[in-house]
Amino acid sequence: MNITVFNDLEKLYKKAADTFIDLSKKSIEKHNRFVVALSGGSSPKAIFSLLATPEYAEQIEWNKVYFFWVDERWVPLDDEKSNARMTFETLLDKVPVNKDQIFPMYQNGTEPEKFAEVYEQQIRNVLGDEGIFDFILLGMGDDGHTASLFPGEAILNENQKWVDAYYLKSQEMFRITLTAPLINKAENILAVAFGESKKHALNEVLNGEYNPALYPMQLINKKESFQFFTDEKAKG
């Protein structure tokens, strides 16, 4: 794992956007496409907004980018809680992406558990049975969760499914998420977490005993291609 600590969040956002561009070029040169899975939240929102600006957008071959999501609240796409809605508003509606290469993690009239099976098949249709994303963008919550892999939930032990959905009692709603084994297959992973509120969890994830039931981010393999962007307030 490569950890980069920033003293300015604007620099962090720019480095993340630069990383997206660099990996897109390498992936497209290698196999003529760039398949990504994105997260929601405030930090990805800032990164997406930057990628939508002409300076960045003009460097990306958008017609060769495929968009999936890491996780989602089971809400309609026009709901303000939807990660997909945020991504469309900040990025996808502003760049020339092929709409049939965008795979939101929601479908009207379908049960979340059933759609998890559908979503896994959509991934397989694009990536084949290896299921290796070119790039996955992760966040981390104050409690050490990533994607919808929350502390103490059975989803943390899933090692067969690529996608799963479950009812999260603490939020009184269904969540749908990529599982840790699928995330760990990715060619490149970037996790972004910053701010004083993340300090305790980040320290435990990076330096504490291995206890993914309490700090699920520890499930993500710390391989060389895993980058972690944070700031001085979180890193301490």
Side-chain angles (χ1 to χ4, degrees):
M1 178 196 293
N2 295 298
I3 303 170
T4 306
V5 182
F6 295 83
N7 58 12
D8 183 318
L9 290 183
E10 292 303 318
K11 293 180 180 178
L12 185 155
Y13 299 146
K14 289 180 180 179
K15 182 61 176 178
D18 288 341
T19 298
F20 186 97
I21 289 173
D22 180 57
L23 293 177
S24 76
K25 291 178 178 179
K26 290 179 179 177
S27 179
I28 290 170
E29 181 179 357
K30 182 178 179 180
H31 46 241
N32 204 37
R33 68 180 185 184
F34 184 47
V35 186
V36 306
L38 304 178
S39 293
S42 58
S43 49
K45 183 177 181 179
I47 297 167
F48 300 158
S49 296
L50 199 56
L51 286 171
T53 61
E55 177 185 356
Y56 287 88
E58 291 171 1
Q59 300 184 59
I60 298 171
E61 293 184 72
W62 294 105
N63 65 323
K64 296 181 180 179
V65 185
Y66 291 72
F67 288 92
F68 291 86
W69 273 262
V70 169
D71 73 320
E72 185 63 274
R73 303 172 183 88
W74 191 253
V75 295
L77 296 177
D78 60 357
D79 191 291
E80 62 181 11
K81 297 185 182 70
S82 168
N83 289 335
R85 172 181 167 172
M86 180 275 286
T87 311
F88 273 98
E89 290 178 346
T90 56
L91 177 62
L92 299 181
D93 286 340
K94 299 181 178 182
V95 294
V97 181
N98 291 338
K99 300 305 181 184
D100 61 354
Q101 293 173 194
I102 301 174
F103 300 89
M105 225 175 200
Y106 180 81
Q107 187 176 71
N108 284 322
T110 306
E111 295 299 317
E113 297 95 336
K114 183 62 178 178
F115 186 67
E117 298 176 10
V118 173
Y119 205 74
E120 177 169 330
Q121 188 57 54
Q122 290 178 342
I123 295 172
R124 289 181 184 275
N125 291 344
V126 174
L127 292 176
D129 290 334
E130 289 188 344
I132 301 174
F133 281 92
D134 297 307
F135 174 68
I136 290 181
L137 176 64
L138 296 175
M140 187 191 76
D142 297 354
D143 59 357
H145 86 268
T146 191
S148 283
L149 308 177
F150 285 86
E153 298 294 333
I155 186 73
L156 302 180
N157 301 314
E158 180 57 56
N159 57 21
Q160 298 297 322
K161 298 177 182 178
W162 286 4
V163 186
D164 206 359
Y166 69 100
Y167 187 77
L168 184 60
K169 291 181 180 179
S170 62
Q171 296 184 1
E172 298 184 337
M173 69 188 311
F174 278 92
R175 309 278 304 215
I176 181 169
T177 185
L178 304 187
T179 61
L182 180 64
I183 293 171
N184 284 328
K185 288 172 178 276
E187 190 77 20
N188 300 278
I189 298 173
L190 170 61
V192 177
F194 53 81
E196 184 73 27
S197 65
K198 306 292 175 73
K199 185 174 181 178
H200 175 74
L202 183 60
N203 181 61
E204 291 294 333
V205 167
L206 298 179
N207 307 310
E209 294 185 10
Y210 185 71
N211 187 1
L214 192 57
Y215 300 102
M217 177 60 88
Q218 290 183 331
L219 288 171
I220 309 306
N221 292 340
K222 296 179 175 64
K223 54 188 177 182
E224 186 176 348
S225 59
F226 179 16
Q227 298 187 72
F228 210 119
F229 288 0
T230 185
D231 69 345
E232 294 172 342
K233 291 181 179 179
K235 189 63 168 62

